[in-house]
């Protein structure tokens, strides 16, 4: 949770895309991102739009939460970033991850999940990424599917609505899950089932039709 430049995430994602292209030439590429991974996916696709057949975003970080990024807090973060960049701010409240208590418990006990506070320096990187996404949105022409819970306290749904309304793409869809929290793919069972069906069918519909082999001449 201490990266000097958000671009590192985009660089690594594109490196992986290049690896997949070399291993599976000719296959369409889709990228799926959740939360901060959604922000990474958006900026990755913006960097090389021709590489992607579609982008799926589950509760993506498009904008900073207006309650946590007030003008005063942003100003304070900039000051602290110069003085004590390693200072940690508040951590994520796990109760807002899912409405399923079992999923919250799994999140709390997952050793691969960072449970500490967000450093000021990383918060600045997130704000920079959100500002960059806002500038890029009007130019977005690639197909995308947005899924978001309207009771998401971690990544505000206004960002997804703004992206859907302002992106120039003609192939775009926003599906809102009423009452759902942040991790839609780990929410209540019926939401999880719907999300998986929605994502798989959306991708399948955008796969190129299989072409029949040319008849052999005798």
């Amino acid at each position: 949770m201490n990266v000097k430049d958000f671009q590192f995430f985009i660089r690594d994602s594109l490196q992986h895309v290049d690896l997949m292209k070399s291993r599976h030439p000719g296959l369409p590429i889709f990228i799926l991102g959740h939360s901060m991974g959604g922000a990474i996916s958006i900026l990755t696709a913006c960097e090389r739009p021709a590489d992607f057949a579609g982008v799926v975003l589950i509760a993506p970080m498009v904008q900073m939460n207006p309650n946590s990024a007030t003008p005063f807090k942003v100003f304070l973060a900039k000051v602290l970033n110069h003085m004590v960049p390693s200072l940690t701010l508040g951590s994520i409240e796990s109760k807002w991850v899912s409405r399923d208590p079992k999923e919250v418990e799994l999140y709390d006990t997952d050793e691969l999940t960072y449970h500490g506070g967000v450093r000021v320096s990383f918060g600045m990187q997130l704000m920079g990424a959100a500002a960059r996404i806002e500038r890029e949105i009007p130019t977005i022409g690639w197909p995308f599917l947005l899924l978001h819970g309207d009771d998401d306290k971690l990544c505000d749904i206004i960002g997804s609505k703004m992206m859907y309304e302002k992106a120039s793409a003609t192939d775009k869809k926003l599906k809102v899950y009423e009452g759902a929290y942040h991790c839609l793919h780990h929410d209540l069972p019926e939401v999880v089932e719907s999300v998986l069906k929605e994502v798989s069918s959306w991708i399948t519909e955008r796969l190129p039709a299989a072409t029949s082999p040319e008849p052999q001449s005798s």
Side-chain angles (χ1 to χ4, degrees):
M1 295 296 289
N2 189 16
V3 66
K4 291 182 178 178
D5 192 334
F6 202 83
Q7 185 64 24
F8 290 169
F9 296 125
I10 290 93
R11 177 203 63 189
D12 290 354
S13 299
L14 289 171
Q15 187 179 53
H16 184 69
V17 167
D18 289 338
L19 185 64
M20 292 300 102
K21 284 168 69 177
S22 66
R23 289 182 181 174
H24 309 283
L27 285 185
I29 297 172
F30 292 83
I31 186 168
L32 183 151
H34 164 62
S35 195
M36 187 184 85
I40 294 168
S41 299
I42 292 168
L43 293 175
T44 299
C46 284
E47 199 128 316
R48 294 212 317 235
D51 280 9
F52 300 96
V55 177
V56 177
L57 302 164
I58 301 175
M61 188 205 85
V62 176
Q63 286 184 329
M64 299 302 291
N65 190 310
N67 295 323
S68 59
T70 62
F72 174 72
K73 287 181 179 178
V74 170
F75 169 75
L76 188 61
K78 288 178 179 177
V79 173
L80 291 172
N81 190 46
H82 284 292
M83 298 170 65
V84 276
S86 60
L87 179 72
T88 55
L89 305 170
S91 55
I92 290 173
E93 286 191 72
S94 59
K95 67 178 181 180
W96 297 120
V97 166
S98 171
R99 290 178 291 176
D100 185 336
K102 291 180 182 177
E103 291 293 345
V104 174
E105 186 181 353
L106 285 171
Y107 176 88
D108 284 335
T109 55
D110 186 353
E111 293 179 359
L112 297 178
T113 297
Y114 177 74
H115 297 289
V118 176
R119 292 182 176 89
V120 172
S121 57
F122 192 71
M124 292 300 297
Q125 290 298 324
L126 292 177
M127 283 193 281
R132 185 177 160 196
I133 289 170
E134 194 164 354
R135 291 194 301 271
E136 294 276 11
I137 281 175
T139 69
I140 289 175
W142 29 261
F144 65 84
L145 169 65
L146 277 166
L147 306 172
H148 217 123
D150 68 357
D151 206 10
D152 187 341
K153 301 285 195 295
L154 303 179
C155 284
D156 205 302
I157 193 173
I158 25 180
S160 286
K161 289 180 176 177
M162 184 265 287
M163 179 174 173
Y164 176 75
E165 290 164 5
K166 294 187 176 181
S168 58
T170 53
D171 183 0
K172 56 185 179 180
K173 180 178 180 180
L174 169 62
K175 183 174 176 64
V176 178
Y177 288 86
E178 289 187 21
Y181 284 7
H182 185 53
C183 293
L184 294 177
H185 48 308
H186 294 297
D187 203 68
L188 300 179
E190 60 270 23
V191 172
V192 175
E193 184 181 1
S194 172
V195 166
L196 294 178
K197 280 184 179 177
E198 195 77 34
V199 171
S200 58
S201 62
W202 189 86
I203 290 176
T204 303
E205 287 165 9
R206 281 152 189 81
L207 293 176
T211 52
S212 302
E214 294 279 334
Q216 297 294 317
S217 56
S218 54

